[in-house]
Amino acid sequence: RATMKSLRFISAEAFVSNSELARRSLSDVAHNLFPLLFKASYLLEQGEVIHDLVENWPLADFNMGKLLGTTVDYQEDLSHRTCSVCLESCLTGLRDYVLNHPSPYVKRLKVVDLTGIKDVEVQFCECKKTMGRWARTKLLSKLCLELLVYLQQTQCRLDTSEISIDVLIDLFVTERNYELVVQALLKKCYCPLKICCVAFRSDNLALQKFFYIIKLTDPSFLRKLEIVHNVRLEMEHLEILFNSIHFPLLMSLTLPARTFNVQRFTATEERMLTNIGEKMGKMTQLTELSMSFSILTGRIQKLLRPLKTPLKMLDVSNCSLNYADMAYLANSFHANHLEALDLSGHNIPDLYPSIFFKLLSHSSSVLRSLTLEDCNIQDTHVNMLILGLSPCQKLQEFKFLGNPLSSRALKHLFTFLCELPMLKNVEFPVPRDCYPIGTTYPIDDASLCRFDHQKYESVAEELNLILLQANREDVKASTPLFGSYDAAVQETNSELGAYLVKSFKETLEKFTTSLNKMS
């Protein structure tokens, strides 16, 4: 659907569409028109105009989220367009803002906020080349170092001594860009562009390197910390992290798989868990917690009870929770505030159906996202599930991949889902009757694609027809077999794959060495 444009915006598009004329005329443009021209240039992917607009930016702040978001002149939100041409032009323009001398404007810029950029699966920019979070991290670090080298070579003949610009960014660091980012952070105090890390994600990084770089980011300003794939952080390391570094503003924490494993708990590890819980309790802003694929049986209360702020997002997928854990969650003060909940990998119908529905009831007034993948939800449970979901009128997203549901049960469930007014995204499983008879759940990766694709397409068509007949074309229904889209993984999948192969090879070598010793 075409978004209405004001006459001002149409005029701005006409102005920037002639790149050469626009660039020549910038010195005659009123300051308050720069944001309008920036959004128009971004929409039309006019890289050279974007560069010059940023190079001569006359205002005190430059906030990408606000500039590209919904505006009076053009309501379409462009912040999800991570167009490589536009973003590179923007960042090189920022570097040249520092070097541009003499400038037609007084240099007033103090804050650049790049955190409003959203990485999404489908890109609408014409160039079709994206610049993800990892690449933005690399480019900004590279430009900061280049700027320092240039200033040293010219012996600061340019008057840059009074320029100090905070550049707010969500950093994404892996082994491949680690050295570059470390150098940029180490020399931050000498550079006119000051990298300010608001959110930090780390994948494929040795633990020692993670500990080193996280201290360089100035953790006192960190709002989001994601330690995700192939960072071998275990409970003792997490305790050291929390004992040595304070995160007073941290709102969101994601821990890697197997951080906790209560199967081998000793008295020392019980003490560690208590200490970690207490440290998290001092993070008064913490409202989002993800600790999937850990073993936390019977320990959820010990970990979450010290928290003084209710959680709005909780991911405890595949954490082997027992009845006591679920009962604590259902009766805790967190339950009434949970906007996003992931309980995937738990046999909910058999282990704790009533207490789960109690938890759902308590969170129903605020719940926006619910994920119940591989939860053994069968046809006989669908009516009960509908009953539990009925009060969740704010639900926007429901994911239930990997459950043994028939085509008939899915149609029944979809008929109900049409009634949830705010629902936008549904991820549903391949129907059980599309798989060969005798297929067991959870389905292993090798068997996941061995289903009747023609029959699945037919069922998917019927499900979409149910949505269409209920006037719910706004709901996207899909079956991402290998999980939801992750922009970070997508951007670094080659490095991730290489790391996994290397880890597998090291494991095989250790195993072979052990066998040789035994023989």
Side-chain angles (χ1 to χ4, degrees):
R1 191 172 71 237
T3 307
M4 290 290 288
K5 299 172 182 176
S6 71
L7 284 173
R8 268 167 45 100
F9 194 85
I10 293 167
S11 302
E13 282 186 292
F15 177 73
V16 302
S17 61
N18 185 333
S19 171
E20 199 177 322
L21 176 66
R23 295 172 72 196
R24 276 204 318 266
S25 310
L26 276 186
S27 57
D28 299 321
V29 172
H31 294 187
N32 64 343
L33 291 177
F34 269 64
L36 178 72
L37 294 175
F38 180 81
K39 189 171 184 180
S41 302
Y42 204 95
L43 179 65
L44 298 179
E45 296 175 40
Q46 293 284 29
E48 291 179 333
V49 181
I50 289 171
H51 172 278
D52 287 11
L53 282 166
V54 178
E55 183 184 10
N56 296 288
W57 198 256
L59 307 172
D61 74 307
F62 180 90
N63 187 316
M64 285 286 277
K66 287 182 181 175
L67 288 167
L68 299 178
T70 299
T71 52
V72 175
D73 292 296
Y74 185 49
Q75 292 196 343
E76 186 174 340
D77 186 347
L78 303 180
S79 61
H80 56 271
R81 293 197 185 192
T82 54
C83 172
S84 184
V85 170
C86 296
L87 289 172
E88 186 168 347
S89 300
C90 193
L91 289 173
T92 53
L94 184 59
R95 175 201 60 197
D96 294 340
Y97 174 92
V98 176
L99 300 175
N100 183 355
H101 185 81
S103 167
Y105 301 120
V106 176
K107 293 186 186 292
R108 296 176 57 208
L109 188 59
K110 295 296 177 195
V111 179
V112 172
D113 191 342
L114 304 175
T115 62
I117 303 167
K118 306 180 190 83
D119 295 289
V120 296
E121 186 171 5
V122 180
Q123 285 294 328
F124 294 99
C125 60
E126 283 185 25
C127 74
K128 300 297 178 192
K129 291 180 182 175
T130 62
M131 183 183 286
R133 182 176 168 185
W134 186 90
R136 296 194 295 272
T137 298
K138 182 183 175 183
L139 181 59
L140 179 62
S141 302
K142 180 171 170 281
L143 292 175
C144 286
L145 291 171
E146 283 177 2
L147 189 56
L148 276 173
V149 169
Y150 185 82
L151 293 176
Q152 285 169 350
Q153 286 174 347
T154 57
Q155 297 177 333
C156 284
R157 282 198 300 271
L158 301 176
D159 185 21
T160 59
S161 56
E162 291 181 12
I163 300 175
S164 179
I165 303 165
D166 289 337
V167 185
L168 278 57
I169 186 170
D170 298 338
L171 292 180
F172 180 17
V173 178
T174 66
E175 191 71 46
R176 275 197 306 145
N177 67 356
Y178 171 79
E179 291 296 341
L180 192 68
V181 182
V182 163
Q183 288 305 311
L185 290 172
L186 279 171
K187 296 170 181 174
K188 171 181 169 178
C189 58
Y190 306 110
C191 187
L193 298 178
K194 314 286 185 192
I195 295 177
C196 298
C197 181
V198 177
F200 183 88
R201 173 164 174 149
S202 174
D203 284 12
N204 310 321
L205 199 62
L207 203 55
Q208 190 176 0
K209 290 181 176 179
F210 165 74
F211 269 87
Y212 182 66
I213 197 168
I214 196 68
K215 289 177 181 176
L216 295 180
T217 62
D218 196 352
S220 60
F221 291 105
L222 209 58
R223 287 181 170 81
K224 188 172 187 176
L225 175 59
E226 298 170 282
I227 314 162
V228 193
H229 301 291
N230 301 320
V231 181
R232 293 174 182 172
L233 185 88
E234 295 185 8
M235 195 166 59
E236 53 266 39
H237 310 126
L238 185 62
E239 186 185 32
I240 293 167
L241 179 69
F242 286 168
N243 281 342
S244 58
I245 300 174
H246 297 290
F247 300 93
L249 300 181
L250 197 68
M251 299 168 70
S252 179
L253 174 64
T254 298
L255 298 171
R258 295 181 292 281
T259 300
F260 303 99
N261 183 358
V262 303
Q263 284 183 324
R264 53 179 174 74
F265 258 33
T266 61
T268 303
E269 285 166 328
E270 287 284 2
R271 180 199 56 74
M272 277 185 199
L273 191 70
T274 302
N275 187 29
I276 289 167
E278 287 171 356
K279 293 291 181 187
M280 290 201 304
K282 291 177 181 176
M283 299 174 192
T284 55
Q285 307 291 314
L286 190 66
T287 57
E288 298 181 359
L289 182 60
S290 176
M291 41 190 181
S292 58
F293 289 94
S294 280
I295 299 174
L296 282 164
T297 315
R299 301 305 197 288
I300 279 288
Q301 184 169 355
K302 182 168 276 193
L303 203 53
L304 301 187
R305 187 173 53 191
L307 299 186
K308 296 172 182 66
T309 310
L311 291 172
K312 292 181 180 177
M313 189 283 277
L314 178 63
D315 179 355
V316 281
S317 55
N318 300 283
C319 283
S320 304
L321 303 188
N322 62 15
Y323 184 89
D325 295 316
M326 194 61 75
Y328 167 73
L329 287 177
N331 294 306
S332 70
F333 78 128
H334 301 294
N336 297 311
H337 298 85
L338 285 172
E339 296 176 13
L341 177 64
D342 191 341
L343 291 170
S344 299
H346 294 99
N347 191 338
I348 288 170
D350 289 349
L351 295 177
Y352 24 62
S354 58
I355 205 73
F356 163 70
F357 286 115
K358 184 179 182 182
L359 171 60
L360 205 55
S361 169
H362 285 169
S363 61
S364 61
S365 64
V366 292
L367 192 65
R368 292 184 292 106
S369 175
L370 178 64
T371 308
L372 301 174
E373 297 177 1
D374 298 312
C375 284
N376 196 31
I377 299 168
Q378 301 178 35
D379 290 16
T380 51
H381 309 128
V382 168
N383 285 333
M384 187 63 80
L385 181 63
I386 288 171
L387 204 63
L389 289 174
S390 292
C392 303
Q393 293 293 296
K394 290 187 178 175
L395 197 68
Q396 296 175 18
E397 183 175 66
F398 181 40
K399 302 178 182 180
F400 57 107
L401 297 166
N403 288 292
L405 291 164
S406 69
S407 308
R408 186 181 172 193
L410 284 171
K411 290 171 198 172
H412 180 36
L413 184 54
F414 263 64
T415 303
F416 157 73
L417 292 175
C418 292
E419 297 171 15
L420 295 175
M422 301 186 76
L423 194 66
K424 290 284 178 281
N425 185 38
V426 177
E427 292 184 3
F428 65 95
V430 173
R432 191 187 65 219
D433 40 301
C434 290
Y435 282 103
I437 294 168
T439 300
T440 54
Y441 284 77
I443 302 172
D444 58 62
D445 287 351
S447 307
L448 204 55
C449 294
R450 294 176 186 162
F451 59 90
D452 186 332
H453 288 257
Q454 195 173 349
K455 186 174 181 180
Y456 164 77
E457 291 297 339
S458 174
V459 174
E461 207 172 295
E462 288 182 67
L463 296 176
N464 276 303
L465 188 62
I466 290 170
L467 295 172
L468 195 65
Q469 288 172 339
N471 293 319
R472 293 306 306 268
E473 299 98 322
D474 58 321
V475 178
K476 179 195 171 193
S478 61
T479 306
L481 283 176
F482 297 99
S484 302
Y485 175 79
D486 183 327
V489 170
Q490 190 70 27
E491 189 181 9
T492 58
N493 56 10
S494 58
E495 185 179 357
L496 182 62
Y499 192 99
L500 289 172
V501 169
K502 184 186 171 191
S503 298
F504 183 63
K505 188 181 173 187
E506 286 172 358
T507 305
L508 277 179
E509 284 171 356
K510 285 177 186 175
F511 182 65
T512 306
T513 306
S514 300
L515 281 177
N516 290 337
K517 283 180 181 176
M518 286 171 68
S519 59

